[in-house]
């Protein structure tokens, strides 16, 4: 099942210890698991650039009717997202066999903060109002997102008054071959 991706007015990084006390009403916050705090800045190559294997990457499924707003006139929307987030942004060329299928927007950056900001940029381009979203996360990070016994999901749901659902079955990224899991955000 695919849901329409939606927008968030702002994106704020919040350490888990302060998440319950800091909830601005007009923003979406991204929880950073304590175990990933030390690994947010990945190792660099000899030239100071992140190596391809050290990039943090996610994908957002954008409704086909909203992809033009994300790309923008002559690519201006993508350029704005790239410049504001510092992340690489790439739109899959076509939706495949079904022209109405959602389009995949791949986002990669040197740190989680870059990718989170790029996700927010994509969602703002689609719609200025918060709506449901579908985000593809690497299957190897699903356990971190969910947390022990679902603790991380519950915390985010209670703090931000949203519903989260992670698909049990992984899907394969058609380009990289890596397994991914779909994370649905409702509200």
């Amino acid at each position: 099942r695919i849901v329409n991706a939606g927008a968030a007015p702002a994106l704020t990084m919040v350490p888990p210890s302060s998440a319950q006390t800091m909830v601005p009403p007009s923003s979406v916050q991204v929880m950073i698991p304590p175990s990933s705090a030390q690994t947010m800045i990945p190792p660099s190559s000899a030239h100071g650039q992140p190596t391809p294997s050290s990039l943090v990457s996610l994908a957002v499924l954008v409704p086909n009717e909203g992809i033009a707003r994300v790309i923008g006139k002559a690519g201006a929307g993508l350029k704005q997202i790239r410049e504001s987030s510092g992340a690489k942004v790439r739109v899959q060329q076509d939706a495949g066999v079904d022209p109405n299928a959602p389009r995949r927007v791949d986002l990669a950056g040197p740190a989680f903060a870059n990718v989170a900001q790029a996700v927010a940029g994509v969602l703002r381009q689609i719609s200025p109002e918060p709506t449901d979203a579908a985000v593809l996360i690497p299957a190897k990070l699903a356990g971190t997102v969910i947390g022990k016994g679902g603790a991380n999901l519950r915390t985010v749901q209670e703090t931000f008054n949203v519903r989260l659902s992670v698909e049990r079955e992984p899907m394969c990224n058609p380009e990289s071959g890596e397994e991914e899991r779909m994370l649905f955000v409702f509200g």
Side-chain angles (χ1 to χ4, degrees):
R1 186 176 99 183
I2 305 297
V3 296
N4 291 333
L11 183 67
T12 307
M13 302 303 295
V14 177
S17 61
S18 63
Q20 280 74 21
T21 60
M22 187 175 150
V23 184
S26 64
S27 68
V28 172
Q29 299 175 346
V30 178
M31 302 288 286
I32 304 169
S35 61
S36 68
Q38 286 76 26
T39 60
M40 280 187 53
I41 307 299
S44 299
S45 68
H47 304 291
Q49 297 296 319
T51 60
S53 63
S54 67
L55 291 175
V56 176
S57 62
L58 294 175
V60 178
L61 295 180
V62 176
N64 198 39
E65 63 273 6
I67 199 67
R69 289 189 296 272
V70 172
I71 295 170
K73 194 171 197 169
L78 293 177
K79 182 179 179 185
Q80 179 185 4
I81 294 167
R82 284 183 189 115
E83 289 176 353
S84 67
S85 68
K88 294 179 182 182
V89 181
R90 194 174 65 76
V91 177
Q92 241 183 21
Q93 289 302 316
D94 59 34
V97 179
D98 183 2
N100 296 321
R103 298 273 298 272
R104 180 187 176 101
V105 178
D106 291 308
L107 309 165
F112 180 77
N114 299 94
V115 177
Q117 194 168 3
V119 169
V122 168
L123 297 178
R124 274 192 302 272
Q125 296 284 6
I126 295 168
S127 169
E129 297 299 319
T131 60
D132 299 344
V135 178
L136 295 166
I137 58 173
K140 62 186 174 193
L141 295 179
T144 302
V145 170
I146 295 168
K148 188 171 185 173
N152 291 345
L153 289 181
R154 269 193 306 282
T155 299
V156 172
Q157 290 177 133
E158 292 167 3
T159 304
F160 306 110
N161 198 25
V162 296
R163 268 187 354 180
L164 300 174
S165 173
V166 178
E167 288 288 319
R168 290 190 189 277
E169 294 300 316
M171 52 191 345
C172 186
N173 179 328
E175 293 185 10
S176 70
E178 292 185 33
E179 287 191 337
E180 299 173 317
R181 302 230 344 236
M182 186 134 7
L183 168 67
F184 296 107
V185 182
F186 304 99

